[in-house]
Amino acid sequence: MELHKGSLYWPTTYQAPHRKKPAQKEDCYDAVIVGGGMSGALTALSLLDRGLQIAVLEKRRFAAGSTSANTGLLQYSNDIMLHELIEQIGRNDAVDFYRSCLQAMGQLKNIADRLAVNPYFICRESIYYASGEDDAERIKKEFQTLSTYGFPCAYWDRNDLLNNAGIDRPCAIVTFGDAEVNPYVFTNGIFDLAETKGAHLFEFTEMLDVTERGGQLAISSTEGELRTKNIIFTTGYETLPIGKRIGADINRSYVIVTEPLKESHAWYKDALIWETKRPYLYLRTTADNRIIVGGLDENSGEMEITDELISKRGNELRRKFNEVFPHLDIGIDYAYCATFGESIDNLPFIGEHPTRKNHFYLLGYGGNGTVYSMLGAEILADRLFGIEHPASHIVQLARKNGKGKSKMIL
């Protein structure tokens, strides 16, 4: 599957190391992780921190798939508002899930502080504005719900939003405790740390098959056979190597990265910005004073992605940006299209396969993928030690919504 096309920005900011393939472990690994992106890196570190012996297989270079196209907005809020998630799965589970995402934000910061490289993890506020008057009541209700359950946030009316941020929209929620990151550096830095802790990292190594043999799992790969007690698939939006995806759609989004701005700050505190409209426009700045603009999400369909289409969508994003900030004149340095996954119920898929013992999945589908990856890494690490994470039943692979209908079974 082609995960992205066009000119990517993040790989230009960091020279990823060429890793020498290690000798394979002669006996059994505690876990083998298939997928060397953000999810694989965070899962590897969580398992290593608990003393497990692990290997990671990646058919490309590490962080070269969807991670290199990740826009690096980290937020505890989700594509589905908390009050809407409460209606979908019930108050306790919805609030617990949001609290788990807020906790994951703190865990991501702690990891960033441990790295030998600077991943430009910067704490930011987020501005979530009502795209039109029809969404103003939803914003007010969401603010009231977040406040009721103690989530850090504030409410801005039109005057507040215009005076503080220069955005002329009906109202907004400002959330605190969010962040931005360079996902390419972050993921490579985690793998650097994992390597020092004894992880066996195999780049350009494709998993071919997995079979049970003598109470262990035998993984056939292009580098030979590895034996493990557990296998964890962190393959993102790729076609699953084992199993079948149900209850999720693979779509695509477009992104532009501007030329460096002359202004020292593009807008209020360089906050992360997004909107209620679907598909939504989302904005952030970078350490070298660029602006990242994303949006125009669409179903993958059969339409071929061409350079001309990427250029066309890039210019559309620039026009949409100027509808929000008409005074900022931006030029486009990078433009690309990226694949992303969305689950039907707006929640990730994390947990053990319902019929294949010791087969685990971390698929962080949705607009909050990095936070889901952190949450999933902790859920799976707990699971391997026989601990039930408070959010594990919410994101399990075979789950039901409030109407009792199955969402996903692999």
Side-chain angles (χ1 to χ4, degrees):
M1 177 184 292
E2 192 172 36
L3 296 175
H4 45 70
K5 185 169 184 178
S7 54
L8 298 177
Y9 167 63
W10 297 123
T12 70
T13 66
Y14 179 72
Q15 183 63 51
H18 289 272
R19 304 180 190 278
K20 184 178 179 180
K21 289 182 180 178
Q24 292 183 22
K25 185 175 171 60
E26 293 184 1
D27 54 0
C28 187
Y29 291 99
D30 292 309
V32 170
I33 298 166
V34 180
M38 181 73 76
S39 296
L42 291 168
T43 302
L45 187 58
S46 291
L47 298 183
L48 290 163
D49 282 345
R50 302 195 191 198
L52 300 188
Q53 295 181 312
I54 64 116
V56 184
L57 311 184
E58 168 55 51
K59 68 180 182 180
R60 303 178 180 87
R61 296 192 70 185
F62 287 119
S66 296
T67 297
S68 62
N70 183 331
T71 47
L73 287 80
L74 310 179
Q75 299 164 309
Y76 74 78
S77 294
N78 291 263
D79 282 1
I80 181 169
M81 292 184 180
L82 177 56
H83 75 268
E84 295 169 341
L85 188 59
I86 288 173
E87 294 176 2
Q88 178 177 295
I89 65 174
R91 180 184 62 186
N92 291 341
D93 282 350
V95 173
D96 284 350
F97 181 73
Y98 256 65
R99 284 177 178 156
S100 294
C101 289
L102 181 59
Q103 182 180 23
M105 286 298 309
Q107 292 168 326
L108 287 166
K109 184 181 187 307
N110 290 339
I111 290 174
D113 291 341
R114 294 170 61 186
L115 303 184
V117 294
N118 182 1
Y120 297 99
F121 188 105
I122 303 172
C123 295
R124 298 289 191 202
E125 298 175 15
S126 287
I127 299 172
Y128 186 33
Y129 66 80
S131 304
E133 291 292 346
D134 291 345
D135 285 331
E137 287 304 315
R138 289 178 65 223
I139 285 286
K140 291 177 183 177
K141 186 173 182 178
E142 182 66 0
F143 167 70
Q144 292 167 355
T145 306
L146 290 172
S147 298
T148 296
Y149 295 105
F151 291 97
C153 62
Y155 174 80
W156 285 356
D157 62 18
R158 183 183 289 273
N159 287 336
D160 295 329
L161 185 55
L162 186 58
N163 293 334
N164 291 331
I167 299 174
D168 188 13
R169 295 295 185 271
C171 57
I173 298 170
V174 180
T175 54
F176 308 101
D178 296 333
E180 67 185 35
V181 74
N182 181 324
Y184 189 71
V185 178
F186 189 49
T187 301
N188 274 288
I190 295 171
F191 278 123
D192 289 344
L193 178 57
E195 204 164 27
T196 68
K197 293 174 70 67
H200 286 186
L201 306 181
F202 296 90
E203 289 187 314
F204 303 107
T205 302
E206 187 168 2
M207 193 210 84
L208 303 175
D209 197 11
V210 56
T211 56
E212 186 176 353
R213 188 185 306 160
Q216 299 177 352
L217 298 176
I219 298 175
S220 172
S221 78
T222 52
E223 285 295 311
E225 184 177 278
L226 296 85
R227 287 177 295 152
T228 183
K229 299 175 185 175
N230 304 282
I231 185 167
I232 301 174
F233 295 99
T234 59
T235 47
Y237 313 133
E238 292 271 20
T239 301
L240 297 176
I242 300 292
K244 185 178 181 181
R245 182 190 294 115
I246 302 173
D249 296 319
I250 300 300
N251 301 316
R252 60 190 177 215
S253 186
Y254 296 87
V255 178
I256 59 172
V257 183
T258 72
E259 299 167 348
L261 298 180
K262 296 178 181 178
E263 297 86 351
S264 57
H265 293 283
W267 51 72
Y268 170 85
K269 295 185 178 180
D270 290 331
L272 313 179
I273 300 175
W274 57 314
E275 64 173 332
T276 54
K277 180 182 176 182
R278 296 294 186 267
Y280 57 82
L281 189 74
Y282 50 97
L283 314 171
R284 60 158 290 189
T285 58
T286 67
D288 59 347
N289 213 32
R290 300 173 187 269
I291 296 172
I292 297 177
V293 184
L296 302 178
D297 300 352
E298 58 191 22
N299 294 331
S300 295
E302 299 298 327
M303 183 169 54
E304 182 182 1
I305 300 298
T306 63
D307 291 339
E308 290 76 16
L309 179 60
I310 292 172
S311 178
K312 178 181 177 181
R313 294 289 189 264
N315 286 322
E316 289 178 27
L317 284 173
R318 178 164 52 185
R319 287 195 293 272
K320 287 185 174 296
F321 171 83
N322 282 133
E323 290 175 5
V324 181
F325 293 111
H327 64 285
L328 287 176
D329 184 24
I330 59 172
I332 301 173
D333 258 0
Y334 303 87
Y336 61 89
C337 174
T339 297
F340 72 99
E342 287 185 304
S343 63
I344 293 172
D345 61 2
N346 294 285
L347 298 174
F349 297 112
I350 303 164
E352 188 172 14
H353 192 283
T355 61
R356 295 187 179 98
K357 186 175 175 58
N358 300 325
H359 286 59
F360 298 89
Y361 291 76
L362 197 177
L363 304 176
Y365 294 164
N368 215 10
T370 300
V371 173
Y372 291 166
S373 294
M374 184 71 257
L375 172 59
E378 289 299 298
I379 288 175
L380 295 182
D382 280 353
R383 178 66 179 79
L384 265 56
F385 280 87
I387 301 169
E388 188 73 14
H389 189 284
S392 61
H393 68 285
I394 302 171
V395 296
Q396 62 186 330
L397 305 189
R399 61 177 180 255
K400 297 180 180 180
N401 63 15
K403 298 179 181 180
K405 296 180 180 179
S406 296
K407 281 296 181 184
M408 179 178 187
I409 299 178
L410 297 173

